[in-house]
Amino acid sequence: MSEKKLLGDERRDWILHTLKSRGIPITGGDLAKESRVSRQVIVSDITLLKAKGEPIIATSQGYLYLNPKEGAHHEKTVACQHAPDRAEEELNLLVDHGVTVKDVKIEHGVYGDLTASIMVSNRKEVKQFLTKIRSTNAAFLSELTDGVHLHTLSATTSEALSEAENALERAGFLIRSL
Ligand SMILES: [Zn+2]
């Protein structure tokens, strides 16, 4: 980064390039520090980039650029229900099957469908996600719905998704149809 502050479009180009080239989540605070602006400016920049259709998502570990070219991914949505104290077990079970947990969705009484990015693919990321939730006293979205929620899962094969779903079933995480 040069000495001078980057302005507007130049800074947004830099953000986009940085997210794409590093390929890992980067926090708003780090982007702010490196480009010498406030975190609030970064939040606005990211919002503008998203409005232009850039596939950037905010995860608990920071902003992530979702590279659409990264292999063909199979996706599946599963309906789960569990108490907050089983979140780690559920997420670990999924990532152990080679599955990425992309998000959690719930139906909220006021806002309708709410989605939050999770984006965990291994136990280390699960741990980081849960540590962040605990350290900020953030609630799990599913606490608003008595533990009922959906997860979007992705994997490189459809077999991995089926196996993960079977494991969820055996461990009692899937909602059973009444
Ligand atoms: Zn869950």
Side-chain angles (χ1 to χ4, degrees), residues 16-79:
L16 202 54
H17 173 79
T18 303
L19 291 175
K20 278 185 190 175
S21 59
R22 292 192 204 166
I24 52 165
I26 306 174
T27 66
D30 284 344
L31 288 171
K33 213 180 289 168
E34 289 186 48
S35 58
R36 296 159 190 262
V37 293
S38 70
R39 205 185 158 277
Q40 197 50 46
V41 169
I42 298 294
V43 171
S44 307
D45 281 343
I46 295 283
T47 305
L48 288 169
L49 288 167
K50 283 183 183 171
K52 280 200 204 160
E54 295 294 349
I56 298 170
I57 60 164
T59 73
S60 62
Q61 298 117 62
Y63 295 112
L64 186 63
Y65 184 87
L66 287 182
N67 192 340
K69 288 189 200 115
E70 258 174 37
H73 276 276
H74 296 262
E75 279 197 7
K76 185 173 196 105
T77 302
V78 290

Side-chain angles (χ1 to χ4, degrees), residues 80 82 87 90-91 94 104 142 149 151:
C80 301
H82 63 77
E90 184 209 40
L91 294 173
L94 288 166
V104 56
S142 57
H149 57 287
H151 284 300

Side-chain angles (χ1 to χ4, degrees), residues 9-172:
D9 284 341
E10 205 187 353
R11 188 182 57 244
R12 286 185 284 279
D13 282 347
W14 173 80
I15 290 173
L16 202 54
H17 173 79
T18 303
L19 291 175
K20 278 185 190 175
S21 59
R22 292 192 204 166
I24 52 165
I26 306 174
T27 66
D30 284 344
L31 288 171
K33 213 180 289 168
E34 289 186 48
S35 58
R36 296 159 190 262
V37 293
S38 70
R39 205 185 158 277
Q40 197 50 46
V41 169
I42 298 294
V43 171
S44 307
D45 281 343
I46 295 283
T47 305
L48 288 169
L49 288 167
K50 283 183 183 171
K52 280 200 204 160
E54 295 294 349
I56 298 170
I57 60 164
T59 73
S60 62
Q61 298 117 62
Y63 295 112
L64 186 63
Y65 184 87
L66 287 182
N67 192 340
K69 288 189 200 115
E70 258 174 37
H73 276 276
H74 296 262
E75 279 197 7
K76 185 173 196 105
T77 302
V78 290
C80 301
Q81 184 170 24
H82 63 77
D85 63 358
R86 292 193 77 192
E88 181 163 18
E89 184 190 346
E90 184 209 40
L91 294 173
N92 280 339
L93 182 153
L94 288 166
V95 300
D96 286 351
H97 282 81
V99 161
T100 296
V101 184
K102 295 181 76 175
D103 59 27
V104 56
K105 288 189 176 98
I106 60 144
E107 190 183 309
H108 185 273
V110 174
Y111 297 110
D113 292 333
L114 284 186
T115 305
S117 297
I118 296 184
M119 294 306 287
V120 293
S121 305
N122 55 53
R123 285 191 176 229
K124 187 179 165 212
E125 289 170 0
V126 168
K127 195 164 225 156
Q128 282 173 343
F129 170 69
L130 295 169
T131 303
K132 188 91 177 246
I133 288 206
R134 288 183 195 121
S135 69
T136 56
N137 281 320
F140 289 108
L141 271 187
S142 57
E143 287 180 42
L144 299 169
T145 55
D146 201 21
V148 172
H149 57 287
L150 298 166
H151 284 300
T152 309
L153 309 178
S154 87
T156 48
T157 65
S158 56
E159 288 76 21
L161 291 174
S162 312
E163 281 169 24
E165 193 175 13
N166 290 338
L168 283 177
E169 165 112 65
R170 283 196 298 275

